[in-house]
């Protein structure tokens, strides 16, 4: 998905290494970026993945250190992504060819994905800031993407996940705050904050979207758990993906700038959603949450399909714990964080013992 670019983990981890004062490892990573991170590749790359991992990682490293190598590499890589925006609507395609500069899409036909084209604003604004080239901001912000999204009719104010970059119309009416939709909403509230609270368009789009989500997707289970369902042409799937569990933290983050009469409500909503996501961990045998969990047939916050019964180190639940802890200083969020850490540690410990003694059956 990176078009031949290497070192995604190295670059995505630069800011973490620096913040954790792992100085030797950071210098090793910096040297690798200087000497071995080459941009003369010719594969097909995911615009979204390259942006959030490479561009985001390089920008963070530059702002933390002021090291020019990170700024220069970020701008040059950003330039290689620009052909993805050469569509009739300005909505970028999901995949760009580094060889030809053309765009294409390998898996979703003629559709672009909301969470992908809606998660470029933060990085591309800073590419303009650091390069002086307005093309980055113009491509990824108001003049193209937001213009299309403002103009198009939205079912009940909801944003479906698939949009045609050719016609500018929705391809299907599937709405999710989890996978395919998630970071679109996150980037709206963060665009408002990053602008020094001057990007009122992002603010208005965020709160209007959140109101529609509350009205049409928010549910409370018979057992009292608050969750955000998925919407398929007016029919609800009473499930919540692990990816959607970032929303507790997002809603907490946005509560401060909501209308005064809504602030306490959003803080409570954030806490309730985060509690539900904790339950998806607490109700599993391993105390690690599944990829998706359902609310049906008397079962709540548990995976009901084998294809969703796995854990791949996703951060969304602990991310919400962190936001809620910082906002409330309620120790329960630290305790929940340790529970998840303990579940993972126990599994790794059991695996280690099993490897030492293969005859032992667990």
């Amino acid at each position: 998905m990176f078009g031949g670019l290497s070192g995604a983990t190295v670059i995505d981890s630069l800011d973490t290494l620096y913040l954790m004062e792992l100085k030797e490892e950071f210098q090793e990573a910096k040297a690798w970026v200087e000497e071995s991170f080459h941009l003369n590749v010719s594969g097909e790359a995911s615009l979204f993945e390259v942006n959030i991992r490479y561009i985001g990682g390089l920008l963070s490293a530059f702002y933390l250190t002021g090291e020019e190598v990170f700024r220069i590499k970020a701008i040059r890589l950003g330039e290689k992504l620009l052909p993805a925006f050469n569509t009739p609507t300005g909505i970028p395609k999901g995949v760009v060819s580094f060889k030809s500069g053309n765009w294409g899409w390998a898996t979703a036909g003629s559709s672009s994905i909301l969470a992908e084209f809606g998660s470029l604003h933060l990085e591309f604004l800073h590419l303009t800031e650091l390069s002086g080239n307005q093309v980055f901001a113009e491509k990824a912000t108001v003049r193209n993407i937001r213009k299309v999204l403002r103009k198009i009719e939205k079912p009940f104010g909801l944003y479906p996940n698939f949009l045609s970059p050719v016609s500018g119309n929705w391809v299907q009416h599937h709405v999710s705050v989890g996978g395919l939709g998630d970071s679109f909403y996150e980037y709206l509230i963060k665009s408002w904050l990053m602008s020094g609270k001057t990007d009122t368009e992002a603010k208005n789009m965020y709160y209007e979207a959140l109101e529609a989500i509350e009205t049409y997707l928010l549910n409370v289970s018979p057992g009292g758990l608050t969750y955000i369902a998925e919407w398929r042409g007016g029919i609800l799937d009473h499930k919540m993906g692990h990816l959607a569990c970032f929303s507790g933290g997002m809603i907490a983050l946005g509560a401060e700038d909501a209308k005064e009469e809504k602030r306490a409500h959003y803080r409570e909503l954030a806490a309730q959603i985060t509690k539900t996501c904790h339950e998806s961990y607490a109700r599993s045998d391993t105390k690690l949450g599944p990829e998706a969990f359902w609310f049906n047939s008397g079962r709540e916050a548990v995976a009901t399909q084998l294809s969703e019964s796995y854990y791949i180190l996703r951060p969304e639940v602990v991310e919400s714990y962190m936001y809620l802890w910082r906002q409330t200083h309620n120790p329960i969020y630290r305790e929940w964080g340790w529970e998840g850490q303990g579940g993972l540690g126990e599994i790794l410990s059991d695996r280690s013992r099993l490897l030492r003694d293969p005859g032992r059956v667990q």
Side-chain angles (χ1 to χ4, degrees):
M1 67 178 69
F2 300 130
L5 295 171
S6 57
T9 302
V10 177
I11 291 175
D12 205 12
S13 302
L14 285 166
D15 53 354
T16 301
L17 293 172
Y18 188 86
L19 290 168
M20 294 182 71
E21 299 184 356
L22 296 169
K23 297 177 182 178
E24 183 179 337
E25 291 86 346
F26 178 82
Q27 289 302 324
E28 185 179 354
K30 177 194 166 190
W32 183 88
V33 172
E34 288 178 315
E35 299 164 11
S36 303
F37 180 48
H38 304 299
L39 303 183
N40 56 335
V41 294
S42 58
E44 290 190 344
S46 162
L47 171 66
F48 169 75
E49 296 289 348
V50 170
N51 178 60
I52 65 169
R53 304 193 193 285
Y54 286 95
I55 304 288
L58 291 166
L59 289 173
S60 296
F62 172 72
Y63 282 120
L64 286 168
T65 68
E67 296 280 359
E68 275 291 291
V69 62
F70 301 131
R71 182 184 75 87
I72 292 168
K73 295 269 188 177
I75 293 168
R76 288 180 179 169
L77 184 53
E79 290 169 349
K80 290 178 71 70
L81 297 177
L82 289 175
F85 296 86
N86 294 334
T87 67
T89 61
I91 297 290
K93 294 288 276 186
V95 170
V96 61
S97 169
F98 287 147
K99 183 177 182 179
S100 66
N102 295 326
W103 46 261
W105 182 235
T107 58
S110 59
S111 301
S112 293
I113 295 172
L114 181 68
E116 296 190 347
F117 67 77
S119 301
L120 303 168
H121 186 105
L122 302 178
E123 292 84 0
F124 273 61
L125 232 58
H126 279 281
L127 288 176
T128 283
E129 181 77 18
L130 296 178
S131 69
N133 188 344
Q134 291 297 319
V135 69
F136 296 111
E138 291 171 359
K139 293 289 187 185
T141 57
V142 176
R143 297 186 190 180
N144 282 312
I145 294 174
R146 287 193 191 168
K147 180 180 178 181
V148 173
L149 291 176
R150 282 200 315 270
K151 185 177 178 181
I152 190 172
E153 183 178 349
K154 291 169 279 294
F156 304 103
L158 297 167
Y159 288 85
N161 291 333
F162 296 100
L163 183 73
S164 167
V166 176
S167 69
N169 296 321
W170 303 117
V171 175
Q172 55 177 273
H173 285 184
H174 171 223
V175 179
S176 169
V177 179
L180 305 176
D182 47 8
S183 51
F184 164 70
Y185 306 100
E186 177 188 11
Y187 269 52
L188 288 176
I189 188 61
K190 289 183 177 178
S191 295
W192 158 248
L193 296 173
M194 191 184 77
S195 70
K197 300 186 178 182
T198 60
D199 187 352
T200 54
E201 181 178 54
K203 177 186 179 183
N204 293 337
M205 288 175 70
Y206 169 76
Y207 288 111
E208 288 167 7
L210 184 57
E211 188 172 328
I213 289 165
E214 268 203 271
T215 302
Y216 296 102
L217 306 185
L218 194 70
N219 280 265
V220 179
S221 71
L225 296 179
T226 300
Y227 63 96
I228 302 175
E230 297 188 6
W231 190 86
R232 295 181 185 274
I235 300 172
L236 290 182
D237 281 342
H238 291 275
K239 64 178 285 191
M240 194 167 173
H242 194 293
L243 287 164
C245 285
F246 88 98
S247 59
M250 177 187 72
I251 294 168
L253 180 66
E256 178 183 344
D257 293 316
K259 294 177 181 177
E260 188 171 355
E261 65 272 17
K262 297 281 281 185
R263 291 173 191 169
H265 165 71
Y266 283 141
R267 291 190 180 104
E268 178 60 21
L269 178 59
Q272 290 301 320
I273 290 172
T274 302
K275 176 184 175 184
T276 297
C277 291
H278 168 259
E279 286 298 315
S280 77
Y281 276 57
R283 298 182 185 197
S284 77
D285 292 337
T286 60
K287 305 306 175 189
L288 295 171
E291 181 69 2
F293 47 94
W294 290 76
F295 300 84
N296 55 27
S297 304
R299 304 183 69 190
E300 298 186 0
V302 293
T304 60
Q305 302 175 27
L306 187 61
S307 61
E308 297 168 339
S309 299
Y310 61 90
Y311 173 74
I312 51 174
L313 300 177
R314 291 202 186 276
E316 290 78 19
V317 172
V318 74
E319 178 185 357
S320 285
Y321 294 168
M322 186 194 75
Y323 275 100
L324 269 293
W325 157 253
R326 289 193 170 182
Q327 187 175 89
T328 69
H329 291 284
N330 185 335
I332 192 65
Y333 298 112
R334 283 180 160 178
E335 293 168 16
W336 288 353
W338 278 115
E339 284 177 17
Q341 184 78 4
L344 183 58
E346 186 174 335
I347 290 168
L348 294 175
S349 177
D350 283 348
R351 180 174 174 80
S352 177
R353 286 196 295 270
L354 187 61
L355 289 171
R356 291 197 303 271
D357 182 8
R360 182 168 174 256
V361 178
Q362 293 261 333

